[in-house]
């Protein structure tokens, strides 16, 4: 079953013709099980369509707080409705979307 694959790359390199990556649910599934799969960038069926994210800076010290992090994302659905930035189990903050860039502010102390 498609659910056994946990990453887009793993899912799409499995060779299973029934599986694809359901982007907004971050899971491998059949197209008919992926909500709004026919919308652009919602369902990846080619490994070149896996979401790619670049983060700057690459690392920050745990003693530094409230720093802006810049994420550049490609092959993503429309983000104009908003983005939530999750910092592990610590906190979630609203991200600011600017074209193909998402700005997330790291948690305060």
């Amino acid at each position: 079953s498609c659910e056994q694959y946990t990453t887009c790359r793993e899912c799409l390199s499995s060779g299973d013709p029934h599986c694809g990556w359901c982007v907004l649910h971050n899971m491998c599934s059949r197209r008919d099980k992926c909500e709004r799969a026919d919308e652009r960038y919602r369902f990846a069926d080619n490994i070149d369509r896996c979401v790619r994210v670049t983060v700057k800076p690459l690392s920050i010290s745990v003693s530094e707080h409230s720093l802006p992090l810049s994420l550049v994302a490609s092959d993503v659905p429309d983000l104009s409705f908003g983005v939530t930035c999750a910092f592990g189990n610590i906190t979630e903050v609203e991200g600011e979307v600017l074209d193909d860039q998402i700005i997330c502010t790291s948690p305060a102390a």
Side-chain angles (χ1 to χ4, degrees):
S1 81
C2 301
E3 293 78 22
Q4 68 184 306
Y5 306 112
T6 58
T7 67
C8 181
R9 186 165 293 283
E10 195 178 88
C11 175
L12 297 178
S13 62
S14 70
D16 188 327
H18 303 291
C19 296
W21 192 253
C22 188
V23 174
L24 291 181
H25 292 284
N26 201 37
M27 64 182 285
C28 190
S29 73
R30 295 172 55 105
R31 177 181 285 276
D32 62 346
K33 301 291 183 191
C34 182
E35 185 181 346
R36 295 161 55 188
D38 293 327
E39 293 180 23
R40 188 173 181 185
Y41 300 123
R42 296 272 181 155
F43 188 81
D45 54 8
N46 179 311
I47 203 160
D48 293 331
R49 289 283 179 209
C50 289
V51 171
R52 290 182 305 282
V53 178
T54 305
V55 181
K56 291 182 183 177
L58 292 176
S59 64
I60 59 173
S61 169
V62 293
S63 62
E64 295 183 83
H65 306 287
S66 302
L67 290 177
L69 305 175
S70 170
L71 294 85
V72 177
S74 59
D75 294 318
V76 294
D78 178 17
L79 302 176
S80 64
F81 293 106
V83 173
T84 300
C85 304
F87 293 88
N89 293 329
I90 299 169
T91 191
E92 291 184 357
V93 297
E94 189 176 327
E96 182 182 357
V97 178
L98 306 165
D99 298 320
D100 68 341
Q101 183 174 249
I102 302 161
I103 305 296
C104 297
T105 302
S106 67

